[in-house]
Amino acid sequence: MAEAKVLSGAGLRGQVAGQTALSTVGQAGAGLTYRGYDVRDLAAGAEFEEVAYLLLYGELPSKAELADYKRKLKGLRDLPQALKEVLERIPRDAHPMDVMRTGCSVLGTLEPELTFEAQRDKTDRLLALFPAVMCYWYRFTHDGVRIDCTSDEDTLGGHFLHLLHGKKPSELHVKVMNVSLILYAEHEFNASTFTARVCASTLSDLYSCVTAAIGSLRGPLHGGANEAAMELIERFQSPQEATAELLRMLERKDKIMGFGHAIYKESDPRNEVIKGWSKQLADEVGDKVLYPVSEAIDKTMWEQKRLFPNADFYHASAYHFMGIPTKLFTPIFVCSRLTGWAAHVFEQRANNRIIRPSAEYVGVEQRQFVPIEQR
Ligand SMILES: CC(=O)SCCNC(=O)CCNC(=O)[C@H](O)C(C)(C)COP(=O)(O)OP(=O)(O)OC[C@H]1O[C@@H](n2cnc3c(N)ncnc32)[C@H](O)[C@@H]1OP(=O)(O)O
Ligand SMILES: O=C([O-])CC(=O)C(=O)O
């Protein structure tokens, strides 16, 4: 078994910043559990809605509870007209993560969280309508159509694909979306979740916590890495070309997006799962370039740097094979991670003290103020 990564130095690495009962990350160098369940078992046997329920309500649902929960979410999918109007005014070339951030913030003005008792209902509403926020804006600004934001799809992943492509998705694609949403749902004190908890610790509202978290997830060192990984792999026509350029990039000390991790040392347990699905999708579309190129980069990174793909790397090709535009990759992460963020907000609120660390001062010594006329 791999030993745990030595965690020290800048970036608060290795500091325990609070308690959680939601997940464990890399406790033995690898491994991820949600409320005690191995994420690989959840990805193999559960639906995303079951996992969302587990995180938000505390236990896996019974069949009847899951059916009720899915019915509830289905009824909450449509967007308020005022939100549609705002989305129509956001430019076509805006980054979709900015659209998600704005969509969340606007909803907070239309359907505010007036008391913390409403926190679960407000979260369910966000969970149900986030796919429509992204797809309504995307289809309006790119295809000039005002889509119906509801669908008969049974699952959130299927609903997203249906809105994006305007037709019923295949069973395989629904299955991969389900797995992807489960893998991305929760990850302890990662940067965006910690952002949400800091915001929650001031007793702010849920929409502010989620809006702040979306801003943190957007960066390429965090959730934005799945888009950056796609931009990398689509540059190459062959594994040989990819390997040769990778070697040059490593020589220049470039950061290779989709590799490495702040906590895991040997591997990211989500990678083997999404990699398997990416391979199935590659076979389905008859891909002879992107998947082999991804594998060549993967091999070179391990041989040269002992760095492994994180959850983001094979998500890039998997999403691409399902016809999802690259710039929508990180917003899908939002649709899933909302569950983890919200569960952490609930946890913070249940046992709160304002998060306010100290800084080591490294500036000049105290000195005399000089009035502007004398400077
Ligand atoms: C879902 C997620 O958010 S997963 C993370 C997604 N982010 C990415 O994929 C971005 C690329 N990866 C990275 O930038 C980093 O690996 C992070 C941000 C994930 C973790 O950062 P850290 O904890 O600081 O990394 P760590 O301490 O393990 O780095 C060790 C060394 O490996 C290097 N390294 C780490 N990741 C990479 C990488 N992807 N490419 C090249 N070199 C890297 C570091 O620069 C460092 O080198 P140094 O010792 O010469 O300075
Ligand atoms: O934990 C982290 O630092 C980043 C990550 O993998 C995630 O948020 O899923």
Side-chain angles (χ1 to χ4, degrees), residues 6-319:
V6 178
L7 297 169
S8 59
L12 293 180
R13 203 71 79 258
Q15 313 280 330
V16 173
Q19 296 184 322
T20 185
L22 290 165
S23 62
T24 60
V25 173
Q27 279 205 337
L32 170 60
T33 62
Y34 297 169
R35 293 201 192 271
Y37 297 104
D38 190 315
V39 74
R40 291 168 299 188
D41 295 338
L42 293 170
E47 288 190 54
F48 171 64
E49 286 76 358
E50 277 176 86
V51 173
Y53 190 97
L54 170 71
L55 292 169
L56 297 169
Y57 291 84
E59 289 295 340
L60 285 170
S62 65
K63 260 192 180 160
E65 285 166 337
L66 180 62
D68 280 351
Y69 190 48
K70 285 168 79 170
R71 204 171 306 118
K72 176 183 182 189
L73 293 177
K74 230 172 170 176
L76 294 170
R77 285 176 176 171
D78 207 359
L79 303 182
Q81 183 56 29
L83 178 51
K84 289 182 184 167
E85 285 163 20
V86 171
L87 292 171
E88 287 182 15
R89 298 181 76 98
I90 300 178
R92 181 186 200 274
D93 59 358
H95 194 288
M97 283 297 275
D98 299 347
V99 178
M100 297 301 281
R101 198 189 58 220
T102 303
C104 180
S105 188
V106 170
L107 193 74
T109 68
L110 301 171
E111 301 175 10
E113 184 195 31
L114 298 176
T115 85
F116 289 174
E117 270 91 76
Q119 62 186 9
R120 282 193 173 74
D121 285 340
K122 296 297 173 191
T123 301
D124 289 341
R125 172 74 165 139
L126 278 171
L127 190 59
L129 66 55
F130 264 164
V133 169
M134 184 184 359
C135 293
Y136 187 86
W137 167 81
Y138 185 83
R139 298 289 310 281
F140 182 79
T141 55
H142 290 67
D143 302 334
V145 290
R146 291 189 168 96
I147 59 164
D148 178 359
C149 294
T150 63
S151 81
D152 278 344
E153 297 298 333
D154 186 50
T155 65
L156 197 96
H159 175 60
F160 160 71
L161 290 174
H162 195 138
L163 296 194
L164 178 65
H165 294 132
K167 59 176 196 229
K168 196 158 189 53
S170 73
E171 253 179 57
L172 175 62
H173 291 189
V174 172
K175 175 77 193 155
V176 179
M177 280 304 297
N178 182 63
V179 169
S180 165
L181 294 172
I182 290 174
L183 296 178
Y184 271 148
E186 158 58 12
H187 219 243
E188 199 223 44
F189 276 21
N190 63 84
S192 56
T193 301
F194 195 59
T195 302
R197 283 193 82 130
V198 170
C199 189
S201 82
T202 71
L203 301 184
S204 189
D205 71 304
L206 178 78
Y207 298 96
S208 298
C209 300
V210 174
T211 303
I214 294 172
S216 282
L217 190 69
R218 186 190 194 287
L221 295 189
H222 192 11
N226 54 16
E227 293 176 25
M230 189 65 221
E231 280 151 23
L232 175 70
I233 60 179
E234 67 188 352
R235 281 165 50 188
F236 307 117
Q237 298 309 314
S238 70
Q240 294 73 14
E241 194 193 330
T243 304
E245 176 58 13
L246 242 279
L247 292 175
R248 285 191 286 271
M249 291 174 79
L250 292 176
E251 185 73 29
R252 290 198 303 266
K253 298 215 173 304
D254 288 355
K255 271 261 161 81
I256 312 302
M257 296 305 170
F259 285 86
H261 199 274
I263 307 294
Y264 297 124
K265 185 181 184 194
E266 298 277 324
S267 67
D268 180 333
R270 301 166 294 183
N271 174 58
E272 64 181 60
V273 182
I274 196 63
K275 182 176 177 181
W277 287 104
S278 174
K279 174 79 177 91
Q280 273 205 43
L281 291 165
D283 292 345
E284 186 202 42
V285 299
D287 165 74
K288 296 273 179 292
V289 178
L290 280 180
Y291 191 84
V293 159
S294 303
E295 278 197 312
I297 295 174
D298 183 350
K299 184 164 174 284
T300 309
M301 286 300 282
W302 185 253
E303 285 171 0
Q304 298 294 317
K305 298 276 292 181
R306 286 284 175 270
L307 284 172
F308 51 86
N310 56 47
D312 281 330
F313 187 66
Y314 283 96
H315 258 106
S317 48
Y319 286 167

